[in-house]
Amino acid sequence: MIQRKILFVCIHNSARSQMAEAFLNQMGGEALIAESAGLEPGKLNSNVVKVMQEIGIDISKNPTKDVFDLFRQGKVYQAVVTVCDAASAETCPIFPGMVKRLGWSFADPSSFTGTPEEILEQTRKVRDEIKETVKAFIDEAKHLVFWTKSEAVPS
């Protein structure tokens, strides 16, 4: 079996990339292994921790990591997936080797406003969108043609 390492990147590694990493590691089996990192690592978003716990996934002890540290360590990934806006994704380092770069844009939970319950509801929506996108990625990534074609998977 071929194992493929996937890196999810967002701004602070505090929300979107953490959720994507957790979902891929939960649903990807042994074939897909995920890590996540941020361009400017911050602190885990407490609302994200809460909505992930609601579905039985505990990310509360996850560290936030710096994507540039992973790059300097010489880490190798078969795919780097940005889960932030396109402008921010442009600042992500280019990892060496045959790396598939994908861009999935999701709303940033740290920017949500409203009552605490409204913010949680918006965060749940992003969580569910990320879960569905990761599921679609897993379905595509099962096929060798995914890894050999040059165009990106629709997000």
Side-chain angles (χ1 to χ4, degrees):
M1 174 185 52
I2 297 173
Q3 264 193 340
R4 303 200 191 271
K5 292 185 179 178
I6 315 303
L7 177 65
F8 292 100
V9 181
C10 68
I11 305 295
H12 302 292
N13 190 218
S14 62
R16 297 164 289 183
S17 57
Q18 290 277 349
M19 289 189 280
E21 174 187 9
F23 284 129
L24 187 65
N25 284 332
Q26 180 190 56
M27 300 182 296
E30 294 179 23
L32 299 170
I33 308 298
E35 280 190 83
S36 67
L39 298 167
E40 302 166 7
K43 181 177 164 256
L44 279 179
N45 182 308
S46 60
N47 291 316
V48 169
V49 171
K50 191 177 294 183
V51 300
M52 292 299 282
Q53 285 174 334
E54 289 173 357
I55 60 168
I57 299 174
D58 183 8
I59 64 168
S60 65
K61 305 244 185 311
N62 287 11
T64 58
K65 294 174 271 185
D66 187 322
V67 70
F68 297 100
D69 286 345
L70 299 179
F71 179 77
R72 284 187 288 275
Q73 291 169 19
K75 294 258 188 159
V76 175
Y77 301 96
Q78 284 69 52
V80 175
V81 183
T82 55
V83 291
C84 51
D85 62 275
S88 297
E90 290 295 318
T91 64
C92 186
I94 304 294
F95 283 81
M98 297 288 293
V99 178
K100 187 172 264 306
R101 290 178 59 93
L102 305 171
W104 303 343
S105 186
F106 297 104
D108 182 358
S110 70
S111 70
F112 296 157
T113 58
T115 67
E117 187 51 45
E118 289 169 338
I119 292 169
L120 280 174
E121 191 52 44
Q122 293 172 77
T123 305
R124 286 183 192 106
K125 183 176 182 235
V126 170
R127 175 201 65 199
D128 296 345
E129 289 170 359
I130 290 172
K131 182 177 183 179
E132 289 308 309
T133 304
V134 168
K135 276 185 186 176
F137 172 78
I138 291 168
D139 288 342
E140 283 281 326
K142 289 178 187 173
H143 306 287
L144 180 61
V145 69
F146 171 82
W147 299 100
T148 58
K149 67 183 180 180
S150 59
E151 69 273 3
V153 171
S155 55

